[in-house]
């Protein structure tokens, strides 16, 4: 009982430390005084300022296009990569590929960003939309692999054997047995890749060029010029959008989990 009590207190402290700065920032986005020292009155002027800034809206659009495109492509390659690792016949090759995938997850973003900058410079690729898109796809693929692989590992081989005994082709096994079963992992990977792409700063900072930028780099540039509550308003909108994504992911995950359970062969 005491253990549960201290655990709840610990969680409460952790959530308070994590969320207090965010709610502090959101609270002052409505401050009429224009600073974050005292609250003088309620206003929506900074939100109007965000929606009237055409350049900022274009940057927001660029950010979401990059995030959606990179997430879709990374999810496709990530699922294929997870399938390749799961069904790799040689344990040494399988473990080597998994280790290489994990190294990319734990590598510092600064190192990855600098590596991409050198890579694009050597190839003569102009920094901009393409360089940002390619780099976001690259660092999102290992995340998708890690989300999908556990679902593949927990799937019973009898499902595939039963489908083949019933005359299913390789494509039927993949599209009607494997993909529906691992759908929760696929959606988890997609949303994780989307989130990573939306808030990535370090890698994007290295590979973005003149005339093209994303929201994280733009917020950093504006913050360096001084405190503006329009940044608070913009950050609040992004936080709310992220909350909507998380809620949407939760309901999709619940529905796919029920579908996957329905496909499982009852145990004797």
């Amino acid at each position: 009982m005491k253990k549960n009590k201290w655990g709840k207190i610990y969680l409460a402290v952790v959530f308070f430390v994590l969320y207090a700065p965010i709610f502090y920032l959101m609270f002052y986005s409505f401050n009429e005084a224009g600073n974050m020292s005292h609250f003088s009155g309620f206003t929506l002027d900074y939100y109007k300022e965000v929606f009237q800034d055409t350049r900022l809206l274009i940057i927001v659009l660029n950010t979401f296009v990059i995030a959606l495109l990179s997430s879709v492509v990374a999810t496709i390659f990530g699922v294929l990569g997870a399938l390749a690792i799961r069904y790799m016949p040689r344990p040494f090759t399988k473990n080597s590929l998994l280790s290489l995938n994990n190294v990319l997850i734990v590598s510092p973003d600064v190192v990855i960003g600098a590596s991409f900058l050198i890579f694009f410079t050597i190839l003569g690729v102009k920094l901009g939309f393409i360089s940002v898109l390619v780099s976001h796809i690259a660092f999102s693929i290992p995340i998708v692999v890690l989300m999908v692989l556990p679902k593949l590992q927990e799937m019973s081989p009898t499902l595939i054997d039963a489908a083949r005994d019933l005359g299913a082709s390789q494509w039927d096994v993949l599209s009607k047995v494997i993909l529906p079963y691992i759908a929760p992992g696929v959606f988890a990977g997609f949303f994780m890749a989307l989130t990573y792409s939306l808030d990535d700063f370090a890698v994007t900072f290295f590979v973005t060029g003149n005339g093209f930028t994303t929201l994280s780099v733009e917020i950093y540039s504006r913050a360096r010029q001084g405190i503006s509550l329009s940044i608070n308003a913009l950050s609040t909108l992004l936080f709310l959008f992220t909350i909507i994504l998380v809620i949407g992911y939760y309901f999709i995950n619940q529905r796919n989990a029920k579908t996957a359970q329905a496909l499982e062969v009852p145990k004797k």
Side-chain angles (χ1 to χ4, degrees), residues 138-181:
F139 72 66
S140 297
I141 289 175
I143 299 167
V144 178
V145 171
L146 280 189
M147 293 290 110
V148 174
L149 203 51
K151 295 298 296 181
L152 284 171
Q153 289 171 337
E154 73 179 33
M155 189 174 76
S156 173
T158 56
L159 285 174
I160 298 175
D161 295 337
R164 285 175 177 162
D165 289 343
L166 293 172
S169 63
Q170 290 287 355
W171 173 248
D172 289 335
V173 171
L174 177 65
S175 61
K176 296 179 181 177
V177 179
I178 297 177
L179 288 181
Y181 189 90

Side-chain angles (χ1 to χ4, degrees), residues 183-197:
V186 175
F187 279 105
F190 172 78
F191 280 105
M192 286 294 290
L194 186 69
T195 306
Y196 269 71
S197 177

Side-chain angles (χ1 to χ4, degrees), residues 84-129:
I85 292 174
R86 174 65 180 85
Y87 297 108
M88 186 69 66
R90 296 181 178 177
F92 176 77
T93 310
K94 180 178 181 177
N95 293 330
S96 299
L97 287 174
L98 191 57
S99 300
L100 288 173
N101 185 78
N102 293 338
V103 166
L104 289 175
I105 294 287
V106 298
S107 295
D109 286 348
V110 174
V111 174
I112 295 175
S115 302
F116 275 115
L117 176 61
I118 295 169
F119 179 67
F120 290 131
T121 303
I122 291 172
L123 293 181
V125 176
K126 185 180 179 183
L127 299 181
F129 179 83

Side-chain angles (χ1 to χ4, degrees), residues 13 50 131 147 167 201 224 265:
V13 171
V50 168
S131 60
M147 293 290 110
F201 168 75
R224 290 184 64 188
V265 177

